[in-house]
Amino acid sequence: MCGIIGCAGRGGATLDTLVHGLSKLEYRGYDSAGVALSGSEVRVEKRAGELDALRAALDDADEDLTGSVGVGHTRWSTHGPPTDENAHPHRDCTGEVAVVHNGIIENYQELRDRLTDAGHEFESDTDTEVVPHLIEERLMAGDDPETAIRAAVDQLDGSYAIAVVVAGVDRVFAARNDSPLVLGIADDAHFLASDVPAFREFTDRVVYLEDGEFAVIDADGWRVTDGAGALVDKRVHAVDWDPEETGKSGYEHYMLKEIHEQPRALRQCLRGRVNEMEGRVSLDVDFDPERVQFVACGTSYHAALCGAHLLQRSGIPAQAFLASEYATSPPPIGEDLVVGVTQSGETADTLSALREARRRGARTLAVTNVVGSTVSRECDQTLYVRAGPEIGVAATKTFAAQVVALTMLALTTDGEQRDAIAALRDLPGNVQAVLDSSTAREVAEEYVDSEAFFFIGRGLCYPVALEGALKFKEITYEHAEGFAAGELKHGPLALVTEDTPVFAVVTGDGELARKTIGNVKEVEARDAPVIAVTDGQSDVERYADHVLRIPTSEPRTAAVLANVQLQLVAYHTAAMLGRSIDKPRNLAKSVTVE
Ligand code: G6P
């Protein structure tokens, strides 16, 4: 999704700071990029494609873009294809106002028609371009820049984070509604961005903006006001992670680095929350619901399925819903709790489902990785998964941390739980053992040219199968599907051939394992290669062409271990196919439109 950076500094480094900020926002997913620098005039450079296309255009420009105040943007197309014209920043007719925007302006057509009738000329297909023209209209009517921008923003319906520069004004103006925006405070510069990594190298002091707020930064200071213009007393937060955590640390891809960071992410997630002596979990949230509904998207939905399974195991009725389908689900009742699981805390579908839950009278709990994210501010309570920043679009360490956080949540309802707690304590080390010994690369080599890839499992291994398939399709662009193992014979078996490897996730040696082995035999009989992801407790290996081994573990933690093997298979296959692993085509890390 689009990324915004704004910077007001003193020296001549603003352009470099903006481009650096955009590079840190690349993980959000984008298809064009641009910058605007403001001095006595506003100069804009923007290009379709990757950031390198913008860098090349800046290098080739006849005149250097100078100025100590500017805005930058990475665009993920919604209105109009990814072209130079549709890339942000967008300008008004005079070229004196430049605007970058994240979100969707729902009434843009009506505004555009009115502005066109009034003589304004548009150069792009975007919804955003109405904003500079609305500002121009107010400036022409005699408003000062801040008043003009406020008046323009007041006319917008929809979701937006907007940053604006105006020729001759050494400030960046910004407004937020339903799209993330954070302000950064350094000694000699101030920043505005969609996310902290954009300016983390320059400061760890941040202010999170709320919906309806308006911010102004210049080299000397910052100010946040509400919709009516009254000053808001904002809290300055200190970011507790290191800029190095957003670098690749020698790994070829962020995804591989983040897969290897899982032991640490899980230690952080568990720290101070499990008491082995007492055999108890203590989390900083009140959790005593009669029933639970989960809402989530993508990978987080798979973690939510694990959460629902774990709660049911603890005797609490629980169900996971795809957030985008939640509006048609049965309403929560009585003491029901609705839990939103979202890595970014900004996913529009999940936020909207949680708002619907609140309208229906439910209490809400956010399970998220991002401190200060919209979900954490809107929900009654928040449980942070503490995985550290995740840059690769395909979620890896955050899934592991979500599942562990939800495991702990379920354990809080269960009294003494020594076995599970010991398994949680051992989990980071066991993940490390999988990372150290995995033969996933050999499996990837063997099957890279296959026609399609299937993933099956039962119980907690079912969401793992779904997540294995999602990871695989996201980054390899190959056809991959996850199925409940028992469903295979009800349709998908028609697709199974000798050219469709089947990954069977089988842990333990109970009823579920035995039944899944029955399904493995069904695919084996159709000559499909079988790759067993197993802890070796059952005899699934007898029917498998390859085995991806995980350490023996308590059933509640085995899912995380099995998933690591499937992450590695997806990664190595995508690497062999030469895919854009950290920024897969068409996908975005943080999807802020419904
Ligand atoms: C996007 C990402 C997925 C992610 C989903 C939910 O679609 O590409 O990797 O799982 O959003 O994101 P969230 O931040 O809510 O967990």
Side-chain angles (χ1 to χ4, degrees):
M1 284 288 113
C2 309
I4 287 180
I5 169 93
C7 171
R10 219 167 258 117
T14 298
L15 178 60
D16 291 345
T17 305
L18 293 177
V19 175
H20 170 82
L22 292 181
S23 74
K24 293 288 178 186
L25 294 172
E26 280 190 291
Y27 74 92
R28 296 169 69 86
Y30 71 106
D31 42 39
S32 56
V35 287
L37 270 276
S38 167
S40 56
E41 56 178 352
V42 169
R43 303 254 335 264
V44 170
E45 201 66 69
K46 51 189 194 169
R47 284 293 180 278
E50 302 227 331
L51 213 44
D52 278 344
L54 175 66
R55 289 194 184 99
L58 288 166
D59 286 346
D60 292 348
D62 298 338
E63 263 179 84
D64 286 347
L65 258 66
T66 52
S68 53
V69 168
V71 291
H73 190 263
T74 47
R75 171 175 187 254
W76 189 78
S77 308
T78 54
H79 293 74
T83 58
D84 291 354
E85 291 73 29
N86 287 335
H88 299 210
H90 290 287
R91 279 184 288 191
D92 65 327
C93 300
T94 66
E96 301 212 334
V97 177
V99 174
V100 292
H101 161 228
N102 181 7
I104 290 184
I105 296 165
E106 281 158 15
N107 59 338
Y108 89 98
Q109 194 59 56
E110 167 194 333
L111 292 168
R112 186 168 169 142
D113 291 346
R114 182 178 70 65
L115 288 159
T116 307
D117 288 346
H120 291 263
E121 285 180 15
F122 285 79
E123 289 177 357
S124 77
D125 309 315
T126 64
D127 52 340
T128 306
E129 201 183 349
V130 296
V131 184
H133 291 280
L134 289 172
I135 298 170
E136 176 192 1
E137 200 173 46
R138 299 304 314 169
L139 288 171
M140 291 300 174
D143 283 353
D144 63 77
E146 183 168 337
T147 311
I149 295 164
R150 280 178 177 283
V153 166
D154 281 347
Q155 297 176 62
L156 308 178
D157 291 338
S159 62
Y160 50 81
I162 285 173
V164 186
V165 287
V166 179
V169 180
D170 56 2
R171 290 175 179 176
V172 181
F173 304 90
R176 140 168 200 157
N177 188 48
D178 263 359
S179 252
L181 203 55
V182 55
L183 193 154
I185 305 164
D187 291 338
D188 53 358
H190 292 90
F191 305 90
L192 285 156
S194 309
D195 202 357
V196 179
F199 56 69
R200 174 65 187 89
E201 231 143 287
F202 309 106
T203 182
D204 64 354
R205 286 178 293 149
V206 305
V207 171
Y208 297 103
L209 299 188
E210 302 286 341
D211 284 346
E213 288 181 344
F214 190 89
V216 185
I217 57 168
D218 61 22
D220 300 313
W222 59 278
R223 177 163 52 87
V224 176
T225 46
D226 65 15
L231 211 57
V232 184
D233 188 14
K234 300 292 291 183
R235 186 169 150 218
V236 178
H237 296 257
V239 175
D240 62 359
W241 46 267
D242 201 77
E244 178 57 22
E245 284 192 58
T246 61
K248 281 194 209 158
S249 308
Y251 286 96
E252 200 170 335
H253 296 99
Y254 282 113
M255 183 181 176
L256 190 60
K257 175 187 170 231
E258 287 157 4
I259 289 172
H260 280 85
E261 280 174 346
Q262 288 179 108
R264 181 163 133 213
L266 295 183
R267 279 189 198 99
Q268 284 171 182
C269 180
L270 291 164
R271 187 166 299 135
R273 291 169 162 175
V274 285
N275 186 328
E276 270 196 72
M277 299 286 282
E278 291 178 14
R280 283 185 188 282
V281 169
S282 53
L283 300 173
D284 220 6
V285 292
D286 293 330
F287 186 70
D288 189 18
E290 275 180 16
R291 298 194 322 180
V292 173
Q293 296 182 341
F294 287 94
V295 291
C297 306
T299 293
S300 294
Y301 172 66
H302 299 150
L305 285 172
C306 292
H309 183 100
L310 291 160
L311 282 177
Q312 278 162 6
R313 213 187 138 111
S314 301
I316 298 175
Q319 214 179 342
F321 295 93
L322 287 166
S324 54
E325 289 291 319
Y326 183 67
T328 57
S329 73
I333 44 170
E335 286 305 291
D336 279 11
L337 177 74
V338 177
V339 180
V341 185
T342 162
Q343 183 284 127
S344 61
E346 303 295 348
T347 301
D349 286 326
T350 308
L351 292 174
S352 151
L354 286 164
R355 286 171 196 148
E356 175 62 26
R358 273 192 298 282
R359 266 195 296 278
R360 295 171 177 190
R363 291 170 304 135
T364 51
L365 168 69
V367 177
T368 186
N369 191 35
V370 180
V371 176
S373 54
T374 303
V375 81
S376 70
R377 281 175 287 129
E378 292 192 1
C379 283
D380 298 319
Q381 299 189 83
T382 301
L383 174 62
Y384 287 110
V385 305
R386 304 183 189 158
E390 187 175 73
I391 309 296
V393 165
T396 52
K397 64 175 178 172
T398 54
F399 174 78
Q402 285 169 340
V403 174
V404 166
L406 294 173
T407 309
M408 288 192 285
L409 200 60
L411 288 175
T412 58
T413 64
D414 256 3
E416 191 181 302
Q417 286 292 330
R418 287 186 191 276
D419 288 353
I421 286 177
L424 286 173
R425 176 205 58 207
D426 294 341
L427 189 57
N430 281 336
V431 169
Q432 190 62 54
V434 173
L435 293 169
D436 292 344
S437 63
S438 176
T439 54
R441 184 200 287 268
E442 289 152 35
V443 171
E445 247 163 36
E446 174 91 25
Y447 298 112
V448 62
D449 295 323
S450 302
E451 194 182 298
F453 301 79
F454 301 130
F455 297 74
I456 59 170
R458 283 173 188 253
L460 262 183
C461 297
Y462 169 48
V464 173
L466 293 178
E467 174 59 11
L470 178 65
K471 213 70 347 184
F472 202 91
K473 73 180 86 162
E474 278 179 319
I475 61 167
T476 67
Y477 313 159
E478 296 295 318
H479 180 212
E481 294 299 335
F483 302 110
E487 274 297 294
L488 205 60
K489 57 186 176 294
H490 296 300
L493 205 53
L495 301 173
V496 168
T497 69
E498 60 188 8
D499 208 15
T500 59
V502 177
F503 291 81
V505 187
V506 186
T507 61
D509 189 22
E511 169 101 13
L512 290 184
R514 278 196 295 281
K515 285 188 174 172
T516 310
I517 293 170
N519 306 126
V520 165
K521 290 180 191 162
E522 290 159 13
V523 299
E524 198 207 9
R526 272 98 191 155
D527 294 329
V530 172
I531 302 99
V533 184
T534 179
D535 52 11
Q537 293 194 65
S538 68
D539 66 350
V540 67
E541 299 185 19
R542 284 178 49 191
Y543 311 101
D545 298 271
H546 287 269
V547 174
L548 292 169
R549 185 54 81 83
I550 59 172
T552 307
S553 159
E554 217 262 352
R556 280 170 276 196
T557 48
V560 170
L561 296 168
N563 187 57
V564 174
Q565 291 284 21
L566 297 183
Q567 291 169 345
L568 289 167
V569 176
Y571 174 82
H572 289 300
T573 309
M576 281 164 209
L577 292 169
R579 305 298 191 224
S580 169
I581 291 180
D582 286 332
K583 288 172 273 163
R585 71 180 177 205
N586 303 338
L587 300 182
K589 180 88 185 146
S590 180
V591 181
T592 51
V593 291
E594 280 184 52

